[in-house]
Amino acid sequence: MIQNDLFLRALKGETVERPPVWMMRQAGRYLPEFRALRDKYDFFTRCKTPELAAEITVQPIRIVKPDAAILFSDILVVPQAMGIDVELKDNIGPIIPNPIRSAADVEKVYIPDVQESLGYVMDAIKLTKEMLNNEVPLIGFAGSPWTIFCYAVEGKGSKSFDTAKGFCFSQPEAAHVLLQKITDTTIAYLIEKVKTGVNAVQIFDSWGGMLSPVDYQEFSWKYINQIVEALAPHTEVIVFGKGCWFALNDMAKSKASALGVDWTCSPQNARYLTGGNITLQGNFDPSRLLSPIPTIKKMVHEMIDAFGKDKYIVNLGHGILPNIPVDHAKAFIEAVKEYQK
């Protein structure tokens, strides 16, 4: 039994004494302990060495003490397993040296045996579970098919992903073949994670907001929903689409247990758009953690009041920034723990 199961109870929509709290990218660059490991080992070495991934996952549980851990990994391990080369360049981000630009390129991409190609992730889950010792739940995650597609086609990060969008609109058949391959791999990957021991999963649709509402349905939501349908019988699924407030109504009709909301959508609007019945997660602006600590605490309490303490998971509206002081991250967590209504 997990000692602190507040996060899982909120995901199931149960009444709780206070909402649970965790932070996207909580195992990351704002922690000096993480930076010490980063200086010793390159990014994918950290992802692919179970001892390092487990240690990084557990760091924030010891230091800032959130109510859930999220496995240290990366969304781009999935395309790597599918035969797409991915490199991580310092100060640039992910680079795909041979981006996918044609139907012939799509054909070369394969659906891997996830136990074989992503076994190191499962080993990291087992080690992390041992280290957590049932203290808090462990979240597994994957990128949405559209988000992975964006990197695979664009070849790098982008402010608009015009090349990826152009591929969808000029070669829709090939685009859908690739999106389906990513979807099938992601389903197998997440099911394996659940079997290995994660307590919930989150799908990150980081680039969903790049699409119009109509295109979002065709190139993103359709595939996310396949993953939700496949995973819902096995675990709780959180869907987080950055900039995707326009899809919240459709998302709320799915089998997802919770929906993430970014800071551009007010709590009132998020509740309205989702019909008020589904657990919501978010939506503190990560930059706001640079505010003075008393301001952070006041704003967190106001955010909880606006969302309501039940069917709510406190989180940021995107990942924590590397320049956030650790005591400000701690203050964010403490503010939730101090909340009384």
Side-chain angles (χ1 to χ4, degrees), residues 4-5 43 54 67 71 85 95 107 140 159 200 209 260 286 296 304 312:
N4 174 357
D5 65 349
F43 183 77
D67 295 309
L71 187 73
D85 282 340
I95 299 284
E107 224 164 277
K159 284 194 165 68
I296 293 171
I304 298 170
Y312 178 49

Side-chain angles (χ1 to χ4, degrees), residues 56-110:
I56 292 167
T57 302
V58 174
Q59 277 177 353
I61 306 306
R62 298 189 199 120
I63 300 162
V64 296
K65 300 182 167 52
D67 295 309
I70 182 162
L71 187 73
F72 176 75
S73 185
D74 194 81
I75 63 171
L76 297 177
V77 300
V78 167
Q80 273 186 334
M82 299 174 73
I84 299 169
D85 282 340
V86 182
E87 297 167 8
L88 207 82
K89 295 266 168 75
D90 282 348
N91 306 319
I92 298 173
I95 299 284
I96 283 84
N98 304 302
I100 288 163
R101 298 285 164 83
S102 68
D105 293 340
V106 170
E107 224 164 277
K108 290 179 201 151
V109 177
Y110 54 84

